[in-house]
């Protein structure tokens, strides 16, 4: 099996994932994922697609991610890993789709409007 390349996006984050046969090593921007994401709940987001399809020790994953915050980056990586697992084995599609890991979450920050301090907030209104 050669390297499978997929991308995932969430908010302002873009993740490129390179999936290859291996022993279960996950590397994010040149660091181990547990060092890059010290929070346990964020680490779980990266591991979950692999655990669902019982492939945690089957693949090595190399990730390049940029933009956004740590949560957006983790969800972008999760989407990219899920897409790569489907390319590797089409049988993985059903369990990942049931958990909605193959769906791109398109919600992004609403832009600021002119004449307002933020997107929807208005300045204080005085009647008299």
């Amino acid at each position: 099996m050669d390297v499978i390349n997929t991308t995932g996006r969430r908010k302002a984050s873009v993740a490129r994932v390179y999936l290859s046969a291996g022993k279960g090593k996950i590397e994010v921007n040149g660091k181990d994922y547990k060092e890059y994401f010290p929070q346990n709940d964020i680490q779980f987001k990266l591991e979950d697609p692999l655990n669902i399809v019982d492939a945690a020790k089957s693949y090595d994953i190399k990730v390049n991610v940029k933009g956004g915050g740590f949560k957006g980056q983790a969800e972008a990586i999760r989407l990219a890993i899920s897409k790569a697992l489907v390319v590797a084995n089409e049988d993985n599609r059903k369990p990942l789709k049931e958990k909605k890991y193959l769906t791109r979450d398109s919600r992004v920050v609403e832009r600021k409007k002119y004449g307002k301090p933020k997107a929807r907030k208005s300045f204080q209104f005085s009647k008299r």
Side-chain angles (χ1 to χ4, degrees), residues 95-106:
L96 291 171
K97 199 164 177 76
E98 285 173 0
K99 284 279 227 171
K100 298 205 172 25
Y101 287 169
L102 296 174
T103 306
R104 200 290 204 201
D105 191 349
S106 61

Side-chain angles (χ1 to χ4, degrees), residues 46-65:
L46 302 191
E47 298 164 352
D48 203 29
L50 294 164
N51 293 334
I52 287 172
V53 298
D54 297 322
K57 302 291 182 198
S58 306
Y59 299 109
D60 282 345
I61 299 172
K62 188 170 179 288
V63 181
N64 292 330
V65 65

Side-chain angles (χ1 to χ4, degrees), residues 62-82:
K62 188 170 179 288
V63 181
N64 292 330
V65 65
K66 63 177 182 170
F70 60 88
K71 187 172 180 187
Q73 286 187 348
E75 292 183 12
I77 293 169
R78 181 176 68 186
L79 174 62
I81 289 173
S82 300

Side-chain angles (χ1 to χ4, degrees), residues 49 79 109 123:
L79 174 62
V109 177
F123 295 109

